[in-house]
Amino acid sequence: MHPDKRFATIDALRGLAAIGVMLFHVRQDVGFQVPGGYLAVDLFFCLSGFVIGRAYEMRLRDGLGAREFVERRIVRLWPMLALGALLGIAIHGGHAGMLFLLPNWLSDGLLYPANPPLWSLLFEMVAYIAFALVLHRLNTLTLALIAGAAGLVLAGYSGTPMRFADLGADWVSFGAGFARVGYAFSAGVIVHRVTISRTTARLSTLGWILALPLAGVFMLVGEADNRAALAFVLLGVPAFTAAASQVEVPQLRIAAFLGDASYPLYCIHVPLLALMAGAGDVAVLTACAALVIASVALERLLDRPLRSKLDLLRKRGRAEVRPASA
């Protein structure tokens, strides 16, 4: 699979999940609740494991270097990550290290107080490095054992007073972040391996039906409902990923719109929407809708051109180093 190949239904799920996260963060300011929106993070991890596995597992086995892979992933994440960090710094007094995913060592709470969602990008990078160095080499049974061990750790955390919603986002539960990404990312790679023989996904509008149970989970699972959250992460997240990989929605433009919105929206929504606190339902929801549209524009007009330029600079740098080291 080419790294740029897109799965329409997975794109759509990513966009809907990012909207779920955004609505979770404005739950105090609107008249309806999406208390389980935080579970989108685990879905992101699993979808990432599937897509990265499908795009890069065989290429790494065939000789693509770990450094090359990690550099590509940094180029993919950094422009919108940097924009989210700059917004956090400018609006909420964040620290400069956010630009390079360095957490705030002086914080006694959140890893990134000025833009909390960045915590998951830190663990996403950890997963990329682990995949490049080790995970792509492991057989499926070993990968399943790793996912199982991570699941047991999550089950242990879910029995504590800590909220599942906070696991990995603050210093107290920092270790749980490794378990969250370890389980979901590994599960995504396993889904890739199990489904890879089915080379052609079925084209069907029924793929949109996946949005209904996902919305139900986001609206019904509470912030502190650790058992329900654990059940969804362990069972629902891989099931959603597998289902999305096997059905392609034919409404490609809608799916692409949602997919394009997902990552910029995730990176920028908290610093900006914090400015809308107390503004009322209509103002906050209007701002949310505007951010979805703005995120698509950012992806297409800023993120893609910047990534292209960064990738070109990266390739030039590698080309210049080779003769010098020969």
Side-chain angles (χ1 to χ4, degrees):
M1 170 187 160
H2 191 277
D4 294 329
K5 190 213 184 271
R6 299 182 71 156
F7 293 85
T9 306
I10 285 178
D11 269 352
L13 274 188
R14 286 172 52 231
L16 294 173
I19 292 170
V21 173
M22 177 174 64
L23 293 176
F24 168 73
H25 285 132
V26 298
R27 63 196 181 282
Q28 305 299 333
D29 297 302
V30 296
F32 65 94
Q33 296 291 298
V34 187
Y38 64 90
L39 292 167
V41 172
D42 302 274
L43 183 58
F44 286 143
F45 286 151
C46 195
L47 293 174
S48 180
F50 172 84
V51 172
I52 292 298
R54 187 61 54 93
Y56 285 105
E57 186 166 66
M58 290 309 301
R59 300 182 75 193
L60 284 164
R61 290 180 179 179
D62 290 341
L64 178 69
R67 177 181 170 183
E68 172 77 9
F69 169 78
V70 172
E71 285 180 356
R72 291 183 185 187
R73 300 319 299 164
I74 291 172
V75 167
R76 174 65 184 91
L77 292 186
W78 190 77
M80 289 299 101
L81 181 163
L83 178 59
L86 286 172
L87 288 172
I89 293 168
I91 299 173
H92 304 292
H95 64 292
M98 293 170 62
L99 286 164
F100 305 101
L101 269 185
L102 297 175
N104 187 341
W105 310 106
L106 301 179
S107 168
D108 57 1
L110 296 169
L111 272 63
Y112 302 94
N115 195 348
L118 295 187
W119 78 267
S120 69
L121 302 185
L122 173 66
F123 286 101
E124 182 91 1
M125 278 305 307
V126 170
Y128 291 156
I129 294 169
F131 182 78
L133 295 177
V134 179
L135 297 183
H136 76 277
R137 306 174 190 272
L138 302 179
N139 60 43
T140 303
L141 176 59
T142 304
L143 203 57
L145 290 173
I146 291 173
L152 288 174
V153 173
L154 284 178
Y157 273 103
S158 69
T160 70
M162 297 179 187
R163 300 187 315 167
F164 204 101
D166 299 328
L167 296 182
D170 55 30
W171 288 111
V172 173
S173 64
F174 181 73
F178 293 99
R180 284 182 80 171
V181 73
Y183 175 80
F185 191 91
S186 297
V189 177
I190 292 171
V191 170
H192 142 67
R193 292 182 180 180
V194 170
T195 61
I196 193 170
S197 60
R198 303 176 184 178
T199 54
T200 304
R202 186 163 60 93
L203 195 68
S204 174
T205 304
L206 293 176
W208 292 107
I209 290 177
L210 290 172
L212 297 177
L214 185 64
V217 169
F218 289 170
M219 297 181 74
L220 295 176
V221 177
E223 298 174 51
D225 192 352
N226 287 2
R227 290 182 180 179
L230 179 69
F232 175 72
V233 169
L234 297 185
L235 302 175
V237 162
F240 270 99
T241 303
S245 73
Q246 296 306 300
V247 179
E248 285 288 82
V249 295
Q251 293 80 12
L252 299 182
R253 289 186 178 180
I254 298 174
F257 179 91
L258 289 168
D260 287 348
S262 61
Y263 181 56
L265 183 63
Y266 187 79
C267 289
I268 69 172
H269 75 275
V270 167
L272 293 174
L273 288 175
L275 299 174
M276 301 295 296
D281 288 21
V282 175
V284 171
L285 291 176
T286 300
C288 288
L291 275 181
V292 173
I293 296 170
S295 294
V296 175
L298 282 172
E299 163 65 19
R300 297 176 181 179
L301 302 178
L302 180 64
D303 193 20
R304 289 179 190 173
L306 276 177
R307 293 199 321 255
S308 295
K309 290 181 179 179
L310 287 173
D311 200 46
L312 183 61
L313 289 172
R314 180 185 67 82
K315 290 176 180 176
R316 285 178 178 172
R318 296 291 294 271
E320 290 173 359
V321 167
R322 287 192 190 101
S325 60

